[in-house]
């Protein structure tokens, strides 16, 4: 049994949705494009799962957040794919790939062949078991990567209003979920091994602002330690978590956000890997000419940084998807992907954006006791990164533009004096 397509997108997440839209803009014919996804629903904006989806009042639910609604483009509902002649093979895991034969074998036993393959398999959440802790299967231990996870989390949240949650991990999932849990009137304690939250991006000074804000909302922080084991009741439900520092925290709900691993497994030994992802060139093309990789799973050359990076963020998924399709459909006119890294988060009434790279010396600006402040990173004499909390649309655009220009900075004190004005004038 088998089907053949010109283009196959493997994975049905954010990058797949944006790639599909770009294919239709560039004139793909009916029946040429197929998307295969393990998830049972058409591509959606994954960021909604830790934000609107978890709200107690008027939560976001599909179909409202199918891609590409997040970028104010068309909303790609299942009907849209049908109308555009795009085959959606949902609820179907690809279990092996043969890039020499150009075939994919699904768990249902179907062989799907392609002329061009776009790998958009994203990533999976790291499990506690990978750190030697058992108990991830307990009904009140939640991860958050896909819709199933989010539905499960919502059910547990609804069953423990007024109860205690322990959030493991101080990264994006930890911070955004902790905020949502507070909004759901759950008492939250965050546990992470670092000295402060968002340790890979925030400086201690920036982190302190957010931690103080969270503390004012009732969140407690237990830093510099990790979970070592769970306590269970007779039904196998977690009742408490034990920490390496010897303390114990009661728990009606545990949310785990301890990082991800890109889904490269199908291609190991077949394609070149780098930085944990599938290595691609500036056209998002892998070491095999017929295979492209986009989104979380791709390690691509970030021109402005002069090095290959794998980025785990939605803007990079959207833009790498568009660029790969442009390169596939018009390789002559499409130049190398020139991407400015962009990360953001929104929680409570807070909202920040970051552009570029957080390397070098940090210059702060604005008033950290107010709601608008930020920082620049200056590396080897050039501005390479910018952060802003509480900015307007124009201000965020200004820090993005200034970072893209990579201006020479001779005087850090002068940059500090000018603050946000430096970006606005750039
Ligand atoms: P994904 O969206 O993960 O899609 C991968 C798809 O491939 C999935 O559908 C998966 O089921 C499928 N798949 C994998 N393997 C197979 C297989 N073998 N067979 C079939 N299908 C397969 N980023 C931001 O910048 N801002 C945010 O606010 C933000 N919020 C987030 C909130 C949450 C809860 C999560 C989990 C992530 C968030 N992100 C955010 C990150 C962002 O969602 C990802 O960077 C983005 O989804 C990556 O897109 P992708 O298409 O590469 O991968
Ligand atoms: P992150 O990598 O952001 O954070 C993981 C955190 O958990 C790190 O602080 C990490 O510390 C810590 N950690 C690692 N191991 C342990 C452990 N055993 N016990 C306790 N803490 C541990 O990953 P998340 O899981 O938060 O997010 C998953 C993915 O979702 C990421 O790709 C992220 O980009 C994406 N996402 C993005 C959002 C956004 O952009 N706004 C929102 C939500 C998710 P260390 O650094 O020391 O490893």
């Amino acid at each position: 049994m088998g089907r053949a397509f010109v283009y196959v997108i493997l994975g049905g997440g954010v990058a797949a949705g944006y790639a599909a839209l770009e294919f239709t803009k560039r004139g793909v014919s009916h029946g040429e494009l197929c998307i295969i996804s393990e998830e049972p629903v058409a591509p959606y904006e994954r960021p909604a799962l830790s934000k609107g989806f978890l709200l107690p009042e008027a939560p976001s639910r599909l179909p409202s957040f199918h891609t590409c609604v997040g970028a104010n483009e068309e909303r790609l509902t299942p009907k849209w794919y049908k109308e555009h002649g795009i085959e959606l093979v949902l609820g179907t895991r690809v279990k092996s790939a043969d890039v020499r034969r150009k075939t994919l074998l699904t768990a249902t036993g179907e062989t799907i062949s392609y002329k061009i393959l776009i790998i958009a398999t994203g990533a999976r959440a790291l499990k506690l078991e990978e750190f030697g802790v058992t108990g991830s299967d307990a009904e009140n231990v939640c991860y958050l990567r896909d819709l199933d996870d989010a539905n499960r989390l919502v059910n547990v949240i609804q069953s423990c209003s007024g109860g205690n949650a322990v959030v493991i991990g101080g990264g994006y999932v930890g911070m955004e979920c902790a905020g949502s849990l507070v909004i759901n009137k759950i008492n939250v304690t965050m546990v992470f091994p670092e000295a402060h939250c968002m340790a890979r991006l925030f400086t201690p000074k920036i982190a302190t602002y957010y931690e103080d804000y969270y503390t004012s909302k009732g969140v407690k922080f237990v830093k510099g330690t990790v979970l070592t084991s769970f306590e269970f009741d007779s039904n196998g439900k977690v009742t408490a978590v034990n920490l390496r520092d010897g303390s114990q925290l009661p728990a009606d709900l545990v949310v785990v956000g301890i990082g991800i691993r890109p889904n490269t497994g199908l291609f190991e030994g077949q394609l070149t890997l780098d930085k944990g992802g599938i290595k691609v060139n500036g056209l998002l093309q892998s070491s095999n000419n017929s295979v492209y990789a986009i989104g979380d799973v791709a390690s691509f050359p970030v021109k402005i940084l002069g090095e290959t990076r794998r980025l785990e963020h939605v803007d990079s998924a959207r833009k790498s998807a568009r660029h790969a399709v442009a390169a596939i459909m018009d390789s002559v006119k499409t130049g190398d992907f020139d991407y400015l890294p962009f990360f953001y988060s929104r929680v409570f009434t807070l909202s920040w954006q970051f552009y570029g790279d957080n390397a070098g010396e940090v210059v702060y600006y604005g008033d950290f006791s107010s709601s608008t402040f930020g920082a620049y990173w200056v590396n080897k004499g050039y501005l390479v990164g910018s952060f802003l909390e509480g900015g307007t649309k124009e201000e965020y655009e200004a820090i993005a533009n200034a970072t893209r220009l990579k201006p020479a900075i001779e005087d850090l004190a002068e940059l500090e004096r000018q603050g946000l004005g430096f970006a606005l004038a750039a």
Side-chain angles (χ1 to χ4, degrees):
M1 187 169 81
R3 279 184 282 177
F5 294 90
V6 182
Y7 311 106
V8 170
I9 302 173
L10 170 51
V14 172
Y18 284 76
L21 183 63
E22 192 64 29
F23 268 119
T24 60
K25 284 183 179 169
R26 287 173 181 269
V28 75
S29 299
H30 282 227
E32 281 188 340
L33 172 62
C34 162
I35 297 177
I36 312 171
S37 179
E38 197 169 0
E39 291 187 81
V41 293
Y44 58 86
E45 299 288 349
R46 203 165 298 283
L49 298 182
S50 53
K51 304 177 187 69
F53 200 90
L54 300 181
L55 291 177
E57 304 286 337
S60 307
R61 289 291 179 267
L62 286 176
S64 75
F65 61 96
H66 277 300
T67 60
C68 303
V69 68
N72 299 322
E73 297 257 17
E74 266 176 282
R75 187 162 51 95
L76 314 189
T77 58
K79 186 163 161 259
W80 180 91
Y81 290 93
K82 205 164 186 183
E83 282 167 3
H84 288 81
I86 298 169
E87 188 72 23
L88 276 185
V89 181
L90 301 178
T92 304
R93 187 172 61 83
V94 167
K95 64 174 193 185
S96 67
D98 186 332
V99 300
R100 270 192 309 136
R101 292 206 169 115
K102 301 191 178 184
T103 56
L104 304 171
L105 177 63
T106 71
T108 53
E110 186 182 15
T111 299
I112 294 182
S113 59
Y114 60 82
K115 287 205 169 84
I116 299 284
L117 173 67
I118 302 182
I119 304 169
T121 45
R124 62 183 170 79
L126 273 174
K127 290 284 172 82
L128 285 168
E129 279 68 9
E130 295 172 67
F131 295 87
V133 177
T134 51
S136 282
D137 292 341
E139 66 180 72
N140 55 343
V141 174
C142 298
Y143 290 81
L144 189 53
R145 183 69 201 178
D146 60 22
L147 200 60
D148 272 0
D149 295 338
N151 278 320
R152 197 157 158 264
L153 177 56
V154 166
N155 285 339
V156 183
I157 286 173
Q158 285 169 353
S159 72
C160 69
S161 186
N164 298 310
V166 177
V167 172
I168 306 291
Y172 287 94
V173 162
M175 292 300 280
E176 292 190 3
C177 284
S180 296
L181 293 173
V182 168
I183 295 168
N184 279 280
K185 301 196 172 16
I186 292 174
N187 307 310
V188 179
T189 304
M190 295 189 70
V191 178
F192 48 82
E194 302 93 345
H196 61 78
C197 69
M198 296 290 295
R200 287 185 208 158
L201 180 61
F202 289 0
T203 64
K205 185 177 166 87
I206 294 174
T208 299
Y209 177 88
Y210 293 95
E211 290 180 8
D212 286 351
Y213 190 95
Y214 274 52
T215 303
S216 77
K217 297 278 177 189
V219 175
K220 296 190 183 69
F221 289 90
V222 180
K223 306 183 208 175
T225 189
V226 291
L227 163 78
T228 49
S229 62
F230 291 115
E231 298 293 323
F232 301 95
D233 68 12
S234 55
N235 298 317
K237 220 171 138 178
V238 166
T239 54
V241 304
N242 297 314
L243 306 182
R244 191 165 57 198
D245 67 7
S247 58
Q248 190 180 74
L249 299 168
D252 302 299
L253 161 62
V254 178
V255 178
V256 185
I258 55 173
I260 60 169
R261 280 282 177 279
N263 292 319
T264 56
L266 295 172
F267 302 96
E268 275 158 30
Q270 302 194 69
L271 300 175
T272 305
L273 303 185
D274 189 16
K275 309 219 159 129
I278 293 168
K279 185 177 178 167
V280 292
N281 62 20
L283 299 178
L284 287 311
Q285 190 175 35
S286 75
S287 53
N288 179 300
N289 283 347
S290 309
V291 181
Y292 292 71
I294 56 180
D296 281 10
V297 79
S299 291
F300 63 90
V302 182
K303 257 191 187 178
I304 193 164
L305 306 182
E307 62 177 59
T308 295
R309 291 263 174 107
R310 199 180 56 71
L311 301 174
E312 300 173 355
H313 293 273
V314 76
D315 182 65
S316 140
R318 293 169 179 156
K319 289 182 178 150
S320 62
R322 289 192 189 123
H323 200 88
V325 175
I328 290 165
M329 304 290 268
D330 192 352
S331 60
V332 179
K333 283 209 202 115
T334 307
D336 283 345
F337 190 37
D338 187 7
Y339 182 69
L340 176 68
F342 166 43
F343 316 143
Y344 70 90
S345 185
R346 288 191 306 271
V347 70
F348 299 119
T349 55
L350 303 172
S351 176
W352 59 260
Q353 295 193 7
F354 171 85
Y355 294 88
D357 196 18
N358 58 331
E361 287 181 79
V362 188
V363 173
Y364 297 101
Y365 61 83
D367 178 0
F368 274 67
S369 60
S370 80
S371 55
T372 306
F373 61 88
Y376 296 116
W377 279 258
V378 177
N379 197 22
K380 298 178 184 145
Y382 293 92
L383 189 146
V384 296
S386 304
F387 175 93
L388 173 61
E389 162 63 45
T392 62
K393 189 166 172 282
E394 292 70 29
E395 288 166 344
Y396 286 129
E397 277 169 15
I399 63 161
N401 290 336
T403 313
R404 184 170 276 292
L405 291 169
K406 211 177 174 180
I409 303 292
E410 278 159 20
D411 185 347
L412 295 183
E414 176 59 15
L415 179 64
E416 185 176 5
R417 197 190 59 73
Q418 289 188 27
L420 187 54
F422 178 84
L424 289 165

